[in-house]
Every structure is written in structure tokens, then in C-alpha cells.
Amino acid sequence: MPPLRSQIQPGVTVDIVQKQDQPTGRLTRGVVAALLTRSPSHPHGIKVRLTSGEVGRVQAVISAQPNA
């Protein structure tokens, strides 16, 4: 099950799956810039925008500590 919204915050390193990568499941790693999903959970993962500008659904939290 993908992480809950409460486990994700700006500055945290995560693996996301972008819309175009959903059929293959290819993951993209990056740092969260903003949370786009308002609900506490989502069956496919919380949607976020990375600092690189990429948007996708979080599949795993890599570093739970925000990068200082």
C-alpha cells in the first residue's frame, strides 16, 4: 500500500510513478516540492510535485527526514 499523506511532506525524498509510466511501473526519485492530493490516503498513491517539476503518485518514501 502506498504511503499516507501524513508520511509525506515537502523536502522528503520519494519514489513516484508518473502518469506516462503507470503501465510499466517505472519509478522516478526526487524531492517533494508540494502535495497535490488533499485526502489522507489514495489507493494509487498521494499525488505530489517534485522540485524538478515532475508530477506523480508516491509509491515509497526514501528519506523521511526533510533535506535541510
Side-chain angles (χ1 to χ4, degrees):
M1 180 167 167
L4 300 174
R5 190 179 197 278
S6 60
Q7 298 172 287
I8 306 164
Q9 58 186 343
V12 169
T13 302
V14 296
D15 279 345
I16 65 167
V17 62
Q18 296 181 67
K19 184 79 169 178
Q20 68 270 21
D21 294 330
Q22 283 175 349
T24 63
R26 188 175 83 90
L27 298 177
T28 303
R29 185 163 292 181
V31 176
V32 175
L35 282 78
L36 304 177
T37 299
R38 291 187 182 271
S39 64
S41 66
H42 189 282
H44 301 297
I46 299 298
K47 190 179 281 188
V48 299
R49 179 179 298 111
L50 302 180
T51 54
S52 61
E54 296 164 308
V55 173
R57 295 196 179 271
V58 176
Q59 301 302 298
V61 174
I62 306 304
S63 166
Q65 299 300 319
N67 298 332

